[in-house]
Amino acid sequence: MSGTALITGITGQDGAYLARLLLEKGYNVHGMMRRSSTETLERLSEIREDITVHQGDLLDQLSLVRLIEEVKPTEIYNLAAQSFVPTSWSQPILTGETTGLGVTRVLEAIRQVNPDIKMYQASSSEMFGKVQETPQTETTAFYPRSPYGVAKVYGYWITINYRESYNLFASNGILFNHESPLRGLEFVTRKITDGVARIKLGIQNELLLGNLEAKRDWGFAGDFVNAMWLILQAADPGDFVIATGEQHSVREFCEIAFGTVGLNLEDYVGVDPRFYRPAEVETLLGDPSKAKTELGWEPQITFEQLVTMMVEEDIKRVEREIKLKS
């Protein structure tokens, strides 16, 4: 047995991929999810019998302490957050409480219960926001452009502060955009691939998007969770940019997605000002040199493979939906 892992936010895209990876490596896998009236475990359906899911909340310190006492993890992966950038403007205080202060509650619970637990903190390229240099590295200054980005900066620094103050093994992974067929439909990449599938299958006529010229460094979530694991296997705690080192625009993502099904994006894509952010992040590009050198990590799936995979999976899913309705 490799140890016991506790994943907060296990029901999300990254939580699902990470849980699978850790099971393959022989871990005893536990997850934490907020209580809700409907179970949201679709992403975990294939491994549901192999993991233990507990109720807990980043807003509730006592629930975290009790959970850590019960599970006795050797590693904690803090992936839980209010993670959708547009929502962070409509719910800025909740975003700060969860995405920012929630990290402190996890660290404080570790310090109280067992300071030997290794912790991974999910930091984000959104912390760079209005980028101060390109590409962005571990030493690039932060300039967040959303309540989400600001909260993530707090989570990043409190992780370092606890590491230096209490000698905890607490590390940050500054992950650039990472997508998959499990990405939520509210995120632009999945909105595109779902839209392409629906247009191809004749149940949608157009796809309305925001800033088509925004550029991102996009990778595959399955590759990125491997980096999370490697970060906690390092000899010493540290902070790592996890990225592909390649940049593409939203327009390029659309071109490949529509091209996958033999369609032309110009015929279907419209721009809607409602989908622009109050403060736009125009460009993000990560330099993963440190992760490659110190962790031996490299992405395996190319941008084109990622987009194609997402479109193909969405076509299968929409076809199943159509069959169920007919």
Side-chain angles (χ1 to χ4, degrees):
M1 184 63 72
S2 297
T4 300
L6 172 62
I7 304 170
T8 72
I10 195 168
T11 59
Q13 165 189 263
D14 292 5
Y17 278 105
L18 180 61
R20 285 190 181 91
L21 176 77
L22 295 176
L23 285 172
E24 285 166 14
K25 293 186 180 297
Y27 279 75
N28 184 3
V29 178
H30 293 258
M32 184 186 92
M33 64 177 285
R34 282 196 314 266
R35 160 142 170 57
S36 71
S37 52
T38 52
E39 290 264 304
T40 49
L41 297 169
E42 309 95 76
R43 293 184 177 104
L44 301 168
S45 56
E46 291 168 22
I47 57 170
R48 183 66 190 89
E49 300 306 310
D50 305 314
I51 60 176
T52 310
V53 179
H54 309 261
Q55 285 183 0
D57 200 310
L58 290 185
L59 302 181
D60 184 350
Q61 179 77 31
L62 195 55
S63 72
L64 298 173
V65 170
R66 285 178 173 159
L67 183 53
I68 292 171
E69 285 175 341
E70 180 188 344
V71 172
K72 296 181 174 58
T74 49
E75 297 173 0
I76 293 178
Y77 295 85
N78 184 40
L79 311 186
Q82 190 301 99
S83 63
F84 187 45
V85 174
T87 298
S88 76
W89 275 285
S90 57
Q91 298 186 331
I93 293 165
L94 175 70
T95 300
E97 281 281 358
T98 309
T99 308
L101 284 174
V103 185
T104 316
R105 295 188 187 102
V106 175
L107 287 160
E108 188 58 26
I110 289 170
R111 188 176 79 83
Q112 284 178 9
V113 178
N114 176 9
D116 291 333
I117 296 168
K118 293 181 174 184
M119 177 185 146
Y120 169 84
Q121 166 58 16
S123 289
S124 166
S125 59
E126 286 286 333
M127 301 189 303
F128 296 119
K130 188 175 180 179
V131 299
Q132 301 300 291
E133 64 177 352
T134 297
Q136 293 87 57
T137 72
E138 290 78 9
T139 57
T140 303
F142 298 135
Y143 194 139
R145 298 269 281 170
S146 64
Y148 170 77
V150 172
K152 279 291 185 187
V153 170
Y154 176 93
Y156 173 89
W157 282 115
I158 200 70
T159 300
I160 292 173
N161 186 263
Y162 266 68
R163 177 168 83 217
E164 295 177 350
S165 302
Y166 303 115
N167 202 29
L168 298 185
F169 194 114
S171 296
N172 285 291
I174 306 173
L175 270 60
F176 279 66
N177 294 60
H178 47 289
E179 317 296 321
S180 76
L182 298 184
R183 189 60 140 151
L185 283 164
E186 70 273 22
F187 290 89
V188 67
T189 50
R190 189 68 199 295
K191 183 180 174 181
I192 292 167
T193 60
D194 175 70
V196 166
R198 291 176 185 281
I199 289 167
K200 178 65 178 175
L201 295 170
I203 54 173
Q204 186 173 317
N205 298 320
E206 68 171 346
L207 177 62
L208 294 176
L209 299 170
N211 183 5
L212 294 182
E213 307 319 318
K215 293 186 173 68
R216 292 293 184 270
D217 182 328
W218 274 301
F220 173 49
D223 288 339
F224 280 45
V225 298
N226 191 41
M228 297 177 187
W229 178 76
L230 287 168
I231 286 171
L232 290 196
Q233 311 319 307
D236 299 299
D239 311 303
F240 297 88
V241 163
I242 305 299
T244 68
E246 274 184 33
Q247 191 182 56
H248 301 274
S249 65
V250 174
R251 183 182 297 278
E252 282 177 79
F253 196 105
C254 287
E255 282 168 359
I256 295 172
F258 278 97
T260 299
V261 295
L263 298 175
N264 185 344
L265 86 99
E266 307 297 342
D267 298 331
Y268 302 99
V269 174
V271 172
D272 188 328
R274 282 180 309 155
F275 299 123
Y276 275 76
R277 298 174 172 189
E280 192 63 57
V281 174
E282 299 289 349
T283 178
L284 290 171
L285 174 63
D287 177 356
S289 304
K290 183 182 175 186
K292 289 183 178 180
T293 305
E294 294 187 20
L295 305 175
W297 178 82
E298 292 212 37
Q300 305 300 311
I301 300 287
T302 66
F303 178 67
E304 289 76 11
Q305 287 171 326
L306 172 66
V307 180
T308 304
M309 171 206 312
M310 289 175 68
V311 170
E312 287 172 350
E313 287 298 318
D314 271 332
I315 284 176
K316 287 183 205 161
R317 184 182 54 81
V318 175
E319 281 175 340
R320 286 196 299 272
E321 280 178 22
I322 293 170
K323 277 194 187 122
L324 284 171
K325 284 178 183 166
S326 61

